[in-house]
Amino acid sequence: MPYPELEELYNTYRTDLYRYLCHLTHDPAEAEDLLSETFLRALRRLHTYRGDCAVKTWLFGIAHNVWLESLRKRRPTVSADDLLETYLTDTRLQWQRVQALLQQKDDRARRVVQLRAQGYSYAEIAARLGISESSARVIEHRTRTWLKQQLAKEGYDL
């Protein structure tokens, strides 16, 4: 695959991969570093891509492995499976609690947060809900801030 195609892949998937890595790391700077490493590895491994899965799936697999390796570097005595299980357990508990807390908010706030979590842009959310893009941004920001405050009060480590 020549470089223009890699550039196209980067332009197409960088935002989705960055969001995914932010979700995993909870650290935008670390997510940016891992994103760079993901595309460096993709470049080195382009010749190994067989086409038996979607390119996006292949890139997300690389990103996931890059993240796991970063966890191993920080905690070398713990197995990757243990780290992943801890992360998934904590994430599942947090997600269940977030879902419960969102029930306290109005339908519009719930939908904005859920659509953002699914990767929709503010413009797409605004079009779906019949609101302005800036309203979608404000609603999402306020709801996320409220959620973080509630989770922090309950002792969740964010």
Side-chain angles (χ1 to χ4, degrees):
M1 195 178 290
Y3 290 113
E5 291 181 25
L6 182 65
E7 185 176 341
E8 184 180 328
L9 290 177
Y10 178 79
N11 290 332
T12 302
Y13 298 114
R14 73 173 175 224
T15 302
D16 290 340
L17 284 165
Y18 176 73
R19 285 184 188 143
Y20 173 66
L21 291 166
C22 277
H23 173 74
L24 293 174
T25 63
H26 305 287
D27 180 351
E30 183 180 1
E32 191 68 43
D33 290 343
L34 296 178
L35 179 67
S36 296
E37 180 62 26
T38 297
F39 278 101
L40 283 172
R41 288 194 190 176
L43 175 62
R44 285 188 221 123
R45 296 179 181 164
L46 277 175
H47 66 280
T48 66
Y49 177 67
R50 297 182 311 262
D52 54 349
C53 67
V55 173
K56 185 174 183 177
T57 303
W58 180 69
L59 287 170
F60 271 75
I62 293 171
H64 183 79
N65 288 333
V66 166
W67 170 69
L68 282 175
E69 287 176 21
S70 76
L71 289 178
R72 276 191 219 115
K73 286 178 185 173
R74 282 184 270 153
R75 296 180 62 191
T77 58
V78 178
S79 76
D81 290 339
D82 290 341
L83 286 170
L84 186 57
E85 183 57 35
T86 299
Y87 173 79
L88 290 175
T89 301
D90 290 348
T91 302
R92 272 189 221 115
L93 291 174
Q94 283 183 8
W95 181 244
Q96 289 171 351
R97 187 61 190 134
V98 164
Q99 291 293 354
L101 286 169
L102 279 174
Q103 294 307 310
Q104 297 176 31
K105 302 304 265 180
D106 63 84
D107 184 56
R108 189 172 65 173
R110 276 195 306 273
R111 294 206 49 215
V112 167
V113 170
Q114 289 167 342
L115 290 169
R116 277 301 284 168
Q118 293 171 13
Y120 287 92
S121 70
Y122 291 110
E124 292 168 321
I125 293 169
R128 279 183 164 218
L129 300 181
I131 59 177
S132 70
E133 190 173 332
S134 61
S135 290
R137 288 178 188 277
V138 169
I139 291 167
E140 193 246 356
H141 174 74
R142 288 179 180 166
T143 306
R144 284 175 49 119
T145 300
W146 178 81
L147 283 168
K148 286 179 183 179
Q149 290 170 347
Q150 297 304 310
L151 291 170
K153 286 179 189 174
E154 295 176 13
Y156 286 93
D157 183 27
L158 304 174

